[in-house]
């Protein structure tokens, strides 16, 4: 599969879903498409370029969204232990996390997009088969979460959608700064 095919297709494999679950997956697919579309016709080097005052690059944004989605799906399945204690992170942990936002030597845009497609398929499978969207876990320890809060699987999926949409907007700005191309318009 080419990079362009990866950026314009959404996996349709897996169990059929209807109702709320279909709505969640359709909304997530729409925002994934916008995010992936920002990488159309780019080289690996272009996908790794910072084009704004920030640290963001297109490949790094997709890596970050992939990691976030993977970890939140792990949370739905296994609870807060799947994400760890953010309040105990070391400088080395934060440096590793920062690598999510950039293309590292040896990484390719095709590889980043393929990893994202794998995570998307796993999420779709979970949404289709999870017995109860109301199943909840306490949130992991983190300075940005309120203490003693619990999120349902539904709330986590809404968070994944919001995170994807937010970063698709970031990616559109990064791409427009790169070469003037836009997601829409």
């Amino acid at each position: 599969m080419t990079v362009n095919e990866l950026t314009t297709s959404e996996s349709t494999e897996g169990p059929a879903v209807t109702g709320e679950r279909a709505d969640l997956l359709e909304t997530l697919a729409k925002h994934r498409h916008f995010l992936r579309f920002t990488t159309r016709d780019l080289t690996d080097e272009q996908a790794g370029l910072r084009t704004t005052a920030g640290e963001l690059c297109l490949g790094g944004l997709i890596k970050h969204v992939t990691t976030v989605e993977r970890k939140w799906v792990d949370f739905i399945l296994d609870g807060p232990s799947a994400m760890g204690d953010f309040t105990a992170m070391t400088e080395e942990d934060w440096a590793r996390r920062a690598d999510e936002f950039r293309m590292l030597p040896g990484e390719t845009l095709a590889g980043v997009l393929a990893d994202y497609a794998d995570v998307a398929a796993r999420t779709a499978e979970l949404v289709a088969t999870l017995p109860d969207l109301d199943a909840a876990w306490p949130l992991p320890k983190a300075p940005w979460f309120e203490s003693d809060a619990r999120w349902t699987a539904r709330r986590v999926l809404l968070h994944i959608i919001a995170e994807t949409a937010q970063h698709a907007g970031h990616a559109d700005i990064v791409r427009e700064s790169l070469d003037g191309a836009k997601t829409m318009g």
Side-chain angles (χ1 to χ4, degrees), residues 54-69:
E55 295 291 323
L56 303 177
C57 69
L58 293 171
L61 279 167
I62 293 171
K63 282 177 54 179
H64 171 68
V65 171
T66 300
T67 299
V68 166
E69 185 170 328

Side-chain angles (χ1 to χ4, degrees), residues 53-89:
E55 295 291 323
L56 303 177
C57 69
L58 293 171
L61 279 167
I62 293 171
K63 282 177 54 179
H64 171 68
V65 171
T66 300
T67 299
V68 166
E69 185 170 328
R70 181 183 293 118
K71 286 187 177 286
W72 278 112
V73 167
D74 290 345
F75 172 86
I76 290 171
L77 294 170
D78 301 321
S81 64
M83 297 182 86
D85 180 349
F86 292 97
T87 63
M89 287 179 64

Side-chain angles (χ1 to χ4, degrees), residues 62-172:
I62 293 171
K63 282 177 54 179
H64 171 68
V65 171
T66 300
T67 299
V68 166
E69 185 170 328
R70 181 183 293 118
K71 286 187 177 286
W72 278 112
V73 167
D74 290 345
F75 172 86
I76 290 171
L77 294 170
D78 301 321
S81 64
M83 297 182 86
D85 180 349
F86 292 97
T87 63
M89 287 179 64
T90 66
E91 285 186 37
E92 187 175 293
D93 294 330
W94 287 110
R96 270 195 304 277
R97 188 166 190 258
D99 284 344
E100 289 176 20
F101 290 94
R102 59 180 143 274
M103 296 280 288
L104 300 176
E107 291 181 330
T108 65
L109 179 57
V112 168
L113 290 168
D115 192 29
Y116 192 35
D118 290 345
V119 168
R122 180 177 179 236
T123 301
E125 177 72 23
L126 175 71
V127 171
T129 60
L130 192 67
D132 184 5
L133 292 177
D134 289 321
W137 292 100
L139 289 174
K141 288 184 182 180
W144 48 85
F145 292 136
E146 57 190 81
S147 62
D148 300 324
R150 296 174 65 83
W151 279 10
T152 64
R154 176 183 297 102
R155 176 64 184 91
V156 170
L157 293 167
L158 291 169
H159 178 73
I160 291 169
I161 291 167
E163 179 92 6
T164 304
Q166 178 181 16
H167 289 309
H170 292 145
D172 199 33

Side-chain angles (χ1 to χ4, degrees), residues 165-179:
Q166 178 181 16
H167 289 309
H170 292 145
D172 199 33
I173 292 166
V174 171
R175 178 62 192 260
E176 188 173 359
S177 297
L178 177 67
D179 63 5

